[in-house]
Amino acid sequence: MNDSLLAYLESQTLVHQLSEPEAQRLAGELTNLSGLHVYARSITGGHGSVFFLGRQNGDKSLGVLASSTSSHRVTGEKRSVRLGDIEAVLTLGPTSASNAAVLRQTLPFLVPVPLGLRKSAGCGDRLGLATPGHIRAVRNSDMAPILAQQSIRENARTGRTPQEVMDDALWGVFQEGWREGFGADADHLKTTADVDVCAAAGYTFYTIDPGEFVDNAANTASTNILREKVEALPWSELESNWKAVEDQLGRKQVDLGAFKLSISDEDLLRAAAKYGRVVAHTVKMYRYLAKVMGSRPFELEMSVDETDTVTSLPEHVYIAHELRRLGVRWVSLAPRYVGTFEKGVDYIGNLDEFEQSFARHLAVSKTYGPYKLSLHSGSDKFSVYPVAARVAGELVHLKTAGTSYLEALRAIAKLNPGLFREIASFAAARYPTDRASYHVSAEVSKMPIPASIPDGRLTALLDSFDSREILHVTFGSVLNHAPFREPFFAALRSDEEVYYDMLETHFNRHLSPFRAKNEAGAVTR
């Protein structure tokens, strides 16, 4: 019997993370004691107990080996075990919400934290199975991860709650033994009710989506119409008036460090008409969030990326100036960039134009913050990553979601080709309806007929533009289609390492361009 198990039972503080060989040795002993296949990296000692996660027949269980005097509150089946001359208690319990809550109170590295201005990556997980694969890729990078991330829209389509998203991330963090901190993003919140449910679940990063308050018509409206729109703004909520805005931003140069920006009367009118109600709504949400969170630390992101018209530089200045004037503190902002950020495919547009525009937006973020520029719909934008990394350095946040679902489909194509073929055919039929709430341009007529593709070439559907987008935006319909749901998850759980390996490989491509280099040009952790 390894003495480390006995040492853990005697320790009342959190024990240092095990080396890989030691973890493997203890995993073997805990496997013999529990009958579970124990995840070596999950083994954590302290507080008179050894905590671990194990798997049996596709189901996972939380294990706690404790001295008879330990007072842990994990619920499950208990039995006595002998460790040398010591009688201990082994508890095997479900990966339930109540046991997740116990672990949060016991193991501080399982509690999400604010990430500040470190460059970061959001790893959305629509299935609740992807976090181990995300962590393996993050270990190869120097980006801070957000591991619990799902929008309210995605929650509705997957049938999950914000608390379930948080708990699923916790089990993944625990399984992989990740102790370097992670964030939790309550994504694309639109109402105070959204804030309430996410705050109750313990999120630390809140993305406010005021997209419905953007006046896209202001982008091309005449000056007279713009004046009417500005006059009708909720000035009491903005705690200002048009003359004050003109005095602060109009008819003068704004010093943005590397250059100065002249904002014309028309530029300012257009910015206020287009985004004035956005500012008012964001301020309302921020103040409500601050009240709900109380003394708990949190971070704010504001997003206007899913709108019809590009955010100009004067518009970005107006947004940042007004938010700061009204006391809002935020860590990142997602403008609507030039070009097109469609779901699950690479950037569509001129990269030189994007780089020039992105650099100018960064000047605004440094002047009025600093805060990070956020890349939403950031999945698979491989041509953009080197540009964003080179220009922004640390001041960048990458947000991904659906690409992890697509890698799940890739795993299913390998593990259960027949199921994948059925899903692909179903997705093609659902796409004309499901595309309504997305900015996508795929055409069903350009997607190969799944029945005509041999098993060994099915993953090609995930590598071509049209079929990839079609599979991406139909995730909700697929997951809510009863004949698919159980076999979908069963396939992934039948050999979870297949999915993890695919995720690690895919996310290495996402994160590696952001890795810092030393003066000699070598990549650093």
Side-chain angles (χ1 to χ4, degrees):
M1 179 66 64
N2 193 298
D3 291 339
S4 295
L5 283 178
L6 297 176
Y8 283 170
L9 299 187
E10 296 170 358
S11 174
Q12 294 305 309
T13 59
L14 188 65
V15 179
H16 65 83
Q17 196 156 21
L18 301 174
S19 67
E20 193 72 24
E22 186 178 10
Q24 291 294 341
R25 284 196 299 272
L26 286 187
E29 294 185 14
L30 290 169
T31 293
N32 291 334
L33 284 172
S34 67
L36 302 173
H37 170 78
V38 174
Y39 296 96
R41 285 177 170 170
S42 73
I43 301 171
T44 305
H47 309 288
S49 304
V50 179
F51 299 87
F52 60 93
L53 190 71
R55 185 183 75 247
Q56 186 177 52
N57 299 325
D59 294 323
K60 295 181 182 180
S61 297
L62 169 62
V64 186
L65 181 66
S67 62
S68 58
T69 59
S70 175
S71 59
H72 74 79
R73 295 181 291 108
V74 169
T75 59
E77 296 182 3
K78 300 179 185 294
R79 67 173 183 261
S80 296
V81 295
R82 195 79 184 171
L83 298 179
D85 296 329
I86 296 177
E87 192 76 20
V89 177
L90 177 64
T91 303
L92 297 180
T95 53
S96 62
S98 61
N99 280 342
V102 171
L103 285 187
R104 280 192 195 92
Q105 294 171 357
T106 309
L107 305 175
F109 60 86
L110 297 179
V111 179
V113 295
L115 302 178
L117 291 179
R118 297 168 59 194
K119 62 185 171 186
S120 49
C123 305
D125 177 9
R126 293 172 176 171
L127 305 175
L129 303 176
T131 296
H134 291 155
I135 290 173
R136 293 179 189 185
V138 168
R139 281 196 170 103
N140 300 323
S141 81
D142 59 354
M143 296 187 88
I146 287 179
L147 298 172
Q149 172 199 293
Q150 193 157 297
S151 70
I152 296 298
R153 176 177 66 188
E154 290 168 351
N155 277 317
R157 292 183 178 180
T158 59
R160 302 167 79 203
T161 67
Q163 185 64 65
E164 288 170 336
V165 173
M166 184 74 84
D167 290 349
D168 287 337
L170 174 144
W171 295 116
V173 172
F174 181 49
Q175 178 177 316
E176 283 294 307
W178 176 256
R179 295 196 186 188
E180 297 185 39
F182 68 99
D185 182 359
D187 196 18
H188 283 278
L189 306 185
K190 297 189 176 187
T191 69
T192 54
D194 296 340
V195 170
D196 288 337
V197 70
C198 293
Y203 284 76
T204 54
F205 185 101
Y206 293 80
T207 301
I208 305 303
D209 179 1
E212 64 190 71
F213 295 92
V214 175
D215 187 341
N216 288 297
N219 207 57
T220 55
S222 67
T223 301
N224 289 338
I225 295 298
L226 291 175
R227 291 191 185 280
E228 292 176 6
K229 289 178 179 291
V230 167
E231 188 175 325
L233 289 176
W235 288 109
S236 61
E237 296 177 30
L238 292 168
E239 300 172 13
S240 185
N241 56 64
W242 177 241
K243 183 179 184 306
V245 174
E246 282 187 307
D247 290 343
Q248 292 162 352
L249 286 175
R251 307 187 191 100
K252 64 177 66 173
Q253 288 189 322
V254 178
D255 188 352
L256 296 176
F259 63 95
K260 293 182 179 180
L261 176 70
S262 295
I263 300 180
S264 69
D265 290 345
E266 183 176 337
D267 287 338
L268 190 56
L269 277 168
R270 201 171 303 282
K274 185 175 176 181
Y275 289 111
R277 295 180 191 278
V278 163
V279 170
H281 180 71
T282 302
V283 171
K284 172 186 173 182
M285 292 283 282
Y286 172 77
R287 291 176 178 173
Y288 184 84
L289 174 59
K291 181 179 179 180
V292 169
M293 294 294 287
S295 61
R296 290 181 289 167
F298 70 92
E299 297 173 317
L300 187 84
E301 174 172 281
M302 195 271 265
S303 165
V304 290
D305 69 299
E306 292 189 1
T307 56
D308 296 335
T309 55
V310 171
T311 304
S312 70
L313 210 61
E315 289 163 357
H316 188 171
V317 168
Y318 168 80
I319 291 170
H321 177 275
E322 289 295 277
L323 289 179
R324 190 168 73 171
R325 176 181 65 79
L326 288 161
V328 176
R329 300 181 66 182
W330 69 101
V331 74
S332 57
L333 188 146
R336 169 69 160 82
Y337 298 107
V338 298
T340 303
F341 282 69
E342 292 192 7
K343 299 294 183 180
V345 296
D346 208 344
Y347 176 74
I348 303 170
N350 184 299
L351 279 175
D352 290 337
E353 181 185 12
F354 173 81
E355 180 167 356
Q356 293 172 14
S357 174
F358 190 76
R360 290 170 73 82
H361 280 296
L362 184 70
V364 179
S365 79
K366 289 182 174 179
T367 300
Y368 287 92
Y371 52 87
K372 293 180 280 192
L373 289 181
S374 194
L375 299 169
H376 285 205
S377 298
S379 299
D380 309 293
K381 303 300 180 289
F382 299 112
S383 62
V384 162
Y385 303 151
V387 173
R390 181 173 65 253
V391 172
E394 288 290 312
L395 292 178
V396 64
H397 176 60
L398 172 65
K399 186 169 292 194
T400 74
T403 199
S404 296
Y405 169 77
L406 291 176
E407 289 308 296
L409 291 181
R410 189 182 301 277
I412 289 173
K414 178 178 180 179
L415 296 168
N416 188 339
L419 175 62
F420 176 85
R421 193 175 283 106
E422 291 177 17
I423 288 172
S425 298
F426 178 80
R430 284 293 312 173
Y431 177 69
T433 300
D434 290 356
R435 67 176 298 176
S437 58
Y438 291 97
H439 293 278
V440 289
S441 58
E443 299 177 25
V444 174
S445 62
K446 295 181 179 180
M447 177 178 174
I449 298 173
S452 67
I453 303 174
D455 289 357
R457 294 178 55 197
L458 280 173
T459 57
L461 289 173
L462 292 157
D463 299 322
S464 62
F465 180 96
D466 294 275
S467 53
R468 185 173 178 82
E469 274 201 341
I470 289 167
L471 291 166
H472 187 293
V473 304
T474 53
F475 73 93
S477 293
V478 169
L479 294 176
N480 286 303
H481 188 55
F484 291 153
R485 189 169 181 87
E486 185 175 341
F488 187 107
F489 284 93
L492 294 175
R493 290 184 172 120
S494 69
D495 190 344
E496 61 186 358
E497 288 297 323
V498 171
Y499 186 29
Y500 297 158
D501 288 347
M502 289 178 174
L503 284 168
E504 182 177 6
T505 299
H506 194 55
F507 272 80
N508 281 340
R509 289 189 66 198
H510 282 74
L511 304 183
S512 60
F514 293 94
R515 292 182 69 182
K517 297 182 180 179
N518 61 27
E519 293 182 359
V523 172
T524 63
R525 165 68 169 82

